Amino acid sequence: MTSRSVMHKTRLFGQSHWVNSIVGFRDIFEMIDQQVTDTAASKVYVDMQRLKHLGRIIKALRVGSSWPSPSMSMSVTQGTLTTSSSSDPHKRYGLPSRQLADELVACYLRSTESLYRILHVPLFQREYDALWTSLNEATTNSPLTKADMAFVVQLKLVLAIGAATHPSHIDLRTRAIHWFHAAQAWIAEPEYKSHLTIQALQIQILLLFAREATGIGGALIWISVGDLLRSAVYMGLHRDPDHLPKRMTVLAAEMRRRIWNTILEVVVSTSLDAGGPVMLSDSDFDTRPPSNCGDEQLDESVLAQSTGSTIQADIQANNKASAETPTTAALTPASQTARPLSEFTSMSVAIALRETLSLRLTVCKVLNDMGPPCTYADALRLDRRFRAAYRNLTRTLQQYTAAATAAAADTSEQAGAPKTIDHYTVALVHLAMRRYLLCLHIPFFGASLHEKTTYAYSRSVVCDTAVRLWQACCPGIVDASVPTADAAEFAANEAKQTSFEQKPGRTLVDPEIVRQALLGAGALRRLSMQASLLVAAEAKFQLIEDDDLGQNGRTPIRQDLMAIIQTALHWSLRGIEAGETNFKGYLLWNLIDKQLDGMRRGMMAAPTASAESRMTLARELVAAAEQAEAECTPIFEAMLARGQQQAHDSALQALALPSGGHVVGYGGAASEITPVETFGPELYNLVRMCRIKDCPCQAIIHTQQQDQQQQQALAAAQLAEHHHNLQSLSMQQPLMPDIQQPLDPMAVEFAADSWDLIMPEAQSLNIGSGEPLSWLFGGETAQGILW
């Protein structure tokens, strides 16, 4: 059976973590360990260190200068200083063009918001339009208000999440990371009480999804979820609004239920992904599920008198009873605005998922909590309950699809209301549910190799579920001539051809899922990796059983399993081309593919394999590792070159530099942009620690030396010119024009131009001390001349 937990470095992973999927391939590393680590000159070891070093530098380049950078703090937290003199108002606040922003917002609404309800979309859309209106009407010296800046932070997170499913997701990855860091700088302000608001909770939730979308932190998101959960509990979201003493509007109550429901989903899903205890139970809250109210229904019945500036604003009830008795007016109950559960709204999918929350919570506790290990009988009973709940959920989604189809023909429906369930949303639901079923049986998957009859059901469930998960994420192998940027669209279009229906086992996969599960970062990427590794483990188990029966590779492995292994090998390299800085996945797949090939040739079977054949297979594995690293090296070097150029261009754009490289500081003095300001000190620390011969990162040091030499030469030229100007001044010429009357500072009015002429000379000579021109107006009149 799979170990109860796995310790890796400083972290402890539970049974649901994807790392349990590679335990079956530990013998690969045992075979090549001696050849790789016996000598420091091992090519595999040296290239691995080189690639790891390049990966760290690439990630540092994406972050840019030190965090939080001055541009973030001034443009986001203060809201009164701009970091660029650009004529485009949106650029002064780090926003893209309106056209790109509209596309990214649409991507977010179709992906994250369709499953996890965080925002009130009509209200968000009004504030979004108002922001662009204010930006277009704003002048250079009219900054946004503090409330507007909070919405800008929210918008940046929406853009960062939407970039993960945008067709240009590869080019937008660096910008998405900058948007995330700007929002992180805002939420990190030491204003804790002011962050205990619904909007701040929304930003915290969006921050977690943005971390997943940009690949920052990985499974460490589970740690931050604890902070989010406790903030929500402190605000009372775990109590239903009907049980709270403070009266609130229908919109406020429904938004509290929606956000708490989303927090519950995030808590359970991150616990499963990180392999950590869920630390939550059904008895810890009594907030009921959200009502089946679409945003449009709430907007029509409750927001009629709202200004749309804040969710917590007082909203007058829109009925005759409350108008007749204003002192005891009761707000419209949510049940009057809710639609029947059989009718599809924007909340229908979230409500349907809530029905399975308790069961999914139980699965997480069984896998990752500190309690006694789950027996196989308990696992089978939980499997039956889960499958029944999954069938009910599937039927509910089918009913919603039928109801939405009928509503699409009804022209009396509110314009803009959802007419049908998006295929992408349904696919996400199935991916989420099947992951729980997969993780429930993984602890018994390894034991099925030795106890074939006892755990045969778990082995079958793991294999079939892993195949379904992979097929739901991957449309197939893309032609190598197709650029990675177009791979998702090409694969999806190929799957939609007329031959699609004629090929059994094919699944229609949206390009957005391909961008997230195969080319992006986050939970879907780890899920596809976990599913494909389990498929490879099943193929290996079949070869082991074949050897035990004396077949020695003569029994063919299931073709669908081998196809998945080859496809996973292909897409792991495509993921690196799309910006992934961790090459170990591609390296592992090359080793797995080579080991399976050797097993088919009988190089590991006990009856036929000899020590020499095993050593030959070990050398082939080392060669495969070298080949994989050789393929990854030029990709990393190209990413490094692009990262350097993007970091330099971003620094120029943020500081509004002219072509000469000079920038006017906030104090009015001219300064130079240095490589450290461009790339950040963290990058230079990595470069200075590099001891790899001919590493491409040395070009950064060369660039630094060239820039420093240019700056020193420029400074020397300016100093020489300054001395020349001083020497050219006539010593007989008085410093100031003749004054006929006694110099009285209280009686003489100096024009601003006179101060401008005197101050630069006084400052450059460092004359006197104290207040400006005190050396001239003070008692010692000869102080300046004596100096």
Side-chain angles (χ1 to χ4, degrees), residues 60-84 92-94 149 152-153 156 174-189 216 650 654-655 666:
L61 284 170
R62 290 172 180 170
V63 174
S65 57
S66 59
W67 185 92
S69 65
S71 61
M72 294 177 190
S73 59
M74 283 182 288
S75 65
V76 177
T77 60
Q78 296 179 12
T80 57
L81 294 176
T82 58
T83 61
S84 172
R92 291 187 282 125
Y93 297 97
M149 291 306 301
V152 169
V153 171
K156 286 185 176 181
T174 300
R175 299 184 69 180
I177 292 175
H178 291 170
W179 291 329
F180 167 79
H181 281 123
Q184 184 67 65
W186 181 87
I187 203 69
E189 284 184 338
I216 300 176
S650 299
L655 296 174
Y666 293 102

Side-chain angles (χ1 to χ4, degrees), residues 14-190:
Q15 294 182 105
S16 65
H17 196 274
W18 70 269
V19 75
N20 291 283
S21 306
I22 66 174
V23 175
F25 300 100
R26 186 172 53 186
D27 58 336
I28 293 179
F29 305 100
E30 294 174 351
M31 292 180 63
I32 67 175
D33 181 71
Q34 185 176 1
Q35 299 189 40
V36 172
T37 59
D38 272 356
T39 172
S42 170
K43 180 175 174 55
V44 174
Y45 179 80
V46 173
D47 290 348
M48 179 178 294
Q49 298 305 315
R50 179 194 298 269
L51 289 172
K52 290 171 66 176
H53 179 67
L54 292 178
R56 295 188 190 102
I57 292 181
I58 292 169
K59 288 191 289 187
L61 284 170
R62 290 172 180 170
V63 174
S65 57
S66 59
W67 185 92
S69 65
S71 61
M72 294 177 190
S73 59
M74 283 182 288
S75 65
V76 177
T77 60
Q78 296 179 12
T80 57
L81 294 176
T82 58
T83 61
S84 172
S85 59
S86 173
S87 58
D88 297 329
H90 63 276
K91 290 184 179 180
R92 291 187 282 125
Y93 297 97
L95 296 176
S97 64
R98 177 65 186 269
Q99 178 181 359
L100 179 58
D102 291 344
E103 296 175 358
L104 295 179
V105 169
C107 289
Y108 164 80
L109 295 178
R110 184 172 184 252
S111 57
T112 302
E113 191 67 31
S114 65
L115 191 61
Y116 304 102
R117 296 311 315 275
I118 304 171
L119 306 174
H120 187 270
V121 178
L123 198 152
F124 173 84
Q125 191 65 46
R126 283 197 293 269
E127 294 189 6
Y128 177 74
D129 295 335
L131 173 65
W132 285 103
T133 301
S134 61
L135 288 178
N136 294 332
E137 296 176 353
T139 61
T140 305
N141 298 321
S142 58
L144 298 177
T145 64
K146 188 174 182 179
D148 291 335
M149 291 306 301
F151 179 76
V152 169
V153 171
Q154 190 179 72
L155 175 60
K156 286 185 176 181
L157 292 173
V158 169
L159 299 178
I161 299 171
T165 57
H166 191 270
S168 303
H169 64 105
I170 298 177
D171 297 332
L172 291 172
R173 174 170 289 193
T174 300
R175 299 184 69 180
I177 292 175
H178 291 170
W179 291 329
F180 167 79
H181 281 123
Q184 184 67 65
W186 181 87
I187 203 69
E189 284 184 338

Side-chain angles (χ1 to χ4, degrees), residues 285-337:
F285 60 93
D286 61 8
T287 305
R288 64 179 178 83
S291 302
N292 193 29
C293 301
D295 291 352
E296 295 75 15
Q297 286 76 44
L298 284 178
D299 186 55
E300 178 183 357
S301 61
V302 182
L303 294 181
Q305 305 298 325
S306 174
T307 61
S309 60
T310 175
I311 295 179
Q312 292 90 352
D314 264 341
I315 304 174
Q316 299 297 329
N318 189 19
N319 52 58
K320 297 181 180 179
S322 59
E324 295 173 356
T325 57
T327 57
T328 59
L331 296 177
T332 304
S335 59
Q336 295 183 12
T337 60

Side-chain angles (χ1 to χ4, degrees), residues 732-741 743:
Q732 290 78 17
Q733 183 178 358
L735 182 62
M736 297 184 64
D738 294 335
I739 300 178
Q740 301 300 328
Q741 56 184 355
L743 187 59

Side-chain angles (χ1 to χ4, degrees), residues 330-581:
L331 296 177
T332 304
S335 59
Q336 295 183 12
T337 60
R339 300 295 181 93
L341 292 178
S342 59
E343 183 176 343
F344 176 72
T345 68
S346 59
M347 282 300 303
S348 297
V349 178
I351 295 173
L353 270 177
R354 177 64 177 269
E355 296 296 326
T356 67
L357 178 67
S358 178
L359 198 54
R360 288 182 284 132
L361 193 64
T362 303
V363 173
C364 289
K365 287 180 174 293
V366 165
L367 293 172
N368 300 324
D369 276 7
M370 291 294 295
C374 178
T375 65
Y376 194 53
D378 293 337
L380 293 179
R381 283 192 292 269
L382 193 56
D383 173 86
R384 287 192 293 270
R385 293 175 54 196
F386 191 88
R387 288 181 180 275
Y390 190 14
R391 284 193 296 269
N392 292 334
L393 175 62
T394 302
R395 282 195 290 265
T396 301
L397 294 178
Q398 292 173 350
Q399 293 173 2
Y400 286 154
T401 303
T405 303
D410 188 359
T411 57
S412 64
E413 289 291 327
Q414 173 76 20
K419 299 298 183 181
T420 183
I421 301 181
D422 192 79
H423 180 270
Y424 171 83
T425 304
V426 176
L428 288 182
V429 172
H430 289 298
L431 286 173
M433 294 296 293
R434 284 171 179 160
R435 183 174 194 178
Y436 289 92
L437 188 63
L438 178 74
C439 293
L440 178 62
H441 287 275
I442 284 179
F444 310 99
F445 178 66
S448 64
L449 181 63
H450 307 286
E451 298 289 342
K452 297 180 177 59
T453 58
T454 305
Y455 304 112
Y457 176 71
S458 290
R459 178 177 173 180
S460 175
V461 170
V462 169
C463 180
D464 293 343
T465 306
V467 170
R468 288 175 178 267
L469 285 171
W470 179 259
Q471 291 177 346
C473 295
C474 177
I477 297 180
V478 178
D479 189 350
S481 62
V482 179
T484 302
D486 305 326
E489 289 76 8
F490 184 91
N493 293 333
E494 191 272 340
K496 292 179 182 178
Q497 299 299 324
T498 55
S499 59
F500 167 74
E501 297 294 342
Q502 302 175 4
K503 296 181 180 180
R506 295 288 298 275
T507 304
L508 179 62
V509 180
D510 293 280
E512 291 85 355
I513 292 182
V514 179
R515 298 183 193 116
Q516 288 181 292
L518 302 178
L519 301 177
L524 284 183
R525 176 70 178 271
R526 292 187 289 272
L527 176 59
S528 63
M529 183 72 174
Q530 183 180 25
S532 57
L533 286 174
L534 290 171
V535 168
E538 171 62 24
K540 183 176 181 179
F541 287 175
Q542 290 186 15
L543 288 173
I544 293 175
E545 292 175 343
D546 186 25
D547 292 338
D548 293 340
L549 296 175
Q551 299 296 324
N552 298 331
R554 290 192 294 269
T555 302
I557 305 176
R558 286 173 47 182
Q559 292 300 317
D560 57 339
L561 303 185
M562 296 306 301
I564 290 176
I565 294 173
Q566 294 299 321
T567 307
L569 179 65
H570 169 84
W571 281 103
S572 59
L573 183 61
R574 285 298 180 105
I576 296 175
E577 294 174 349
E580 174 62 50
T581 58

